[in-house]
Amino acid sequence: MGGSKVERVPRKPYERELLRLQVELVKLQEWVRAEGVRLVVVFEGRDAAGKGGTIKRVAEHLNPRVARIVALPTPTERERGQWYFQRYAPHLPAPGEVSLFDRSWYNRAGVEHVMGFCTKVEYQRFLHQCPIFERMLVEDGILLRKYWFSVSDEEQQRRFHKRLDDPTRRWKLSPMDLESINRWEAYSRAKDEMLVHTDIPEAPWYVVESDDKRRARLNMIAHLLSTVPYREIPPPAVSIPPRPPSTGYERPPRDLQTYVPDHAASLLR
């Protein structure tokens, strides 16, 4: 965005449209499960670009047994010696599953390259192999969607300061995040180079302008739904039976069990 101002989406229309889109995501989930589809969604972007919040809204009402969030930790020594894509392959979906990658194999094109965590040879090998790897996924029938969340330097700085002042989100502010401020242009060059090599017809990149988080979430979810040929699967007929009459069961006395203290009662005084 280059720091240009965007009109913020008001809360009420945002929440109304988000709920509508989340209902559609549930329909998408049921179609994936019924048809045995394998769906991979990759979320990438700078630190504080809004990936995590969007993933949270995507998965909020989905069945965690169907839609799994994949957020891998730092690779172990054993994993560092493997073929680079090997540690990601086990997290690809089986039929009837969705994998939401909160960062992905593109770590090598971004943070690993910029911070010097991989060699130049490993970086160049990644740029060569990544399109091949993704074509293999698509040829095997996996639906692959890749989203890059684009945030301006001014907005990223504002979000960093907000995290610093919020005790519930301060854990999100790591030394790596702070270093990304000093290496803004290096990350920009890495992103441009990554897109040149990996924006392929079989698995194109979709850029999400994310200076307004609400707008970014709605735009990303709406786009994802528009690219998948899902249909509504009629739910099985279910009826709640009447409760059968009592056969004489009596609940044990309360003093025989340990209950959680009623902390909420303190708020009513």
Side-chain angles (χ1 to χ4, degrees), residues 53-122:
T54 304
I55 294 171
K56 180 179 179 181
R57 272 68 181 186
V58 169
E60 187 173 6
H61 298 292
L62 301 184
N63 184 342
R65 294 182 177 86
V66 175
R68 296 177 297 108
I69 298 174
V70 181
L72 300 186
T74 302
T76 64
E77 283 301 318
R78 180 175 183 273
E79 288 171 330
R80 288 191 183 97
Q82 296 174 338
W83 176 51
Y84 179 70
F85 295 95
Q86 188 171 340
R87 71 187 299 248
Y88 295 97
H91 302 280
L92 295 171
E97 294 180 352
V98 180
S99 293
L100 306 172
F101 279 87
D102 185 355
R103 295 197 181 278
S104 65
W105 44 90
Y106 282 99
N107 277 338
R108 176 136 297 177
V111 63
E112 289 191 16
H113 171 56
V114 174
M115 300 299 295
F117 297 154
C118 67
T119 67
K120 291 183 178 180
V121 171
E122 289 171 330

Side-chain angles (χ1 to χ4, degrees), residues 21-205:
L21 292 173
Q22 288 176 326
V23 170
E24 292 300 312
L25 284 171
V26 172
K27 295 177 184 178
L28 169 64
Q29 167 195 266
E30 292 307 298
W31 172 78
V32 165
R33 182 161 59 176
E35 299 294 330
V37 173
R38 293 172 292 165
L39 174 61
V40 171
V41 187
V42 169
F43 296 79
E44 290 288 346
R46 295 181 186 272
D47 297 312
K51 303 179 298 299
T54 304
I55 294 171
K56 180 179 179 181
R57 272 68 181 186
V58 169
E60 187 173 6
H61 298 292
L62 301 184
N63 184 342
R65 294 182 177 86
V66 175
R68 296 177 297 108
I69 298 174
V70 181
L72 300 186
T74 302
T76 64
E77 283 301 318
R78 180 175 183 273
E79 288 171 330
R80 288 191 183 97
Q82 296 174 338
W83 176 51
Y84 179 70
F85 295 95
Q86 188 171 340
R87 71 187 299 248
Y88 295 97
H91 302 280
L92 295 171
E97 294 180 352
V98 180
S99 293
L100 306 172
F101 279 87
D102 185 355
R103 295 197 181 278
S104 65
W105 44 90
Y106 282 99
N107 277 338
R108 176 136 297 177
V111 63
E112 289 191 16
H113 171 56
V114 174
M115 300 299 295
F117 297 154
C118 67
T119 67
K120 291 183 178 180
V121 171
E122 289 171 330
Y123 171 67
Q124 292 297 330
R125 184 184 300 133
F126 171 83
L127 294 179
H128 169 69
Q129 290 186 348
C130 183
I132 300 172
F133 173 68
E134 292 183 349
R135 287 189 182 101
M136 291 172 63
L137 300 183
V138 174
E139 287 174 3
D140 202 59
I142 289 178
L143 301 182
L144 175 59
R145 302 294 181 268
K146 304 186 304 190
Y147 291 95
W148 176 269
F149 285 73
S150 178
V151 64
S152 66
D153 50 354
E154 295 92 344
E155 179 61 21
Q156 185 193 51
Q157 193 86 349
R158 188 189 71 82
R159 292 176 185 176
F160 281 162
H161 281 288
K162 195 170 182 179
R163 289 179 178 182
L164 186 64
D165 298 331
D166 186 345
T168 66
R169 291 191 289 177
R170 187 166 181 150
W171 63 269
K172 293 184 175 183
L173 200 59
S174 69
M176 200 73 67
D177 297 329
L178 301 178
E179 184 59 30
S180 69
I181 298 174
N182 297 327
R183 306 194 186 210
W184 177 272
E185 289 191 1
Y187 273 104
S188 295
R189 294 188 184 96
K191 182 261 295 182
D192 293 343
E193 186 74 6
M194 178 194 78
L195 292 179
V196 166
H197 288 84
T198 63
D199 186 18
I200 59 177
E202 297 88 344
W205 276 105

Side-chain angles (χ1 to χ4, degrees), residues 12-23:
K12 286 188 176 180
Y14 160 73
E15 291 179 345
R16 184 170 56 248
E17 178 62 7
L18 177 62
L19 180 58
R20 187 191 73 81
L21 292 173
Q22 288 176 326
V23 170

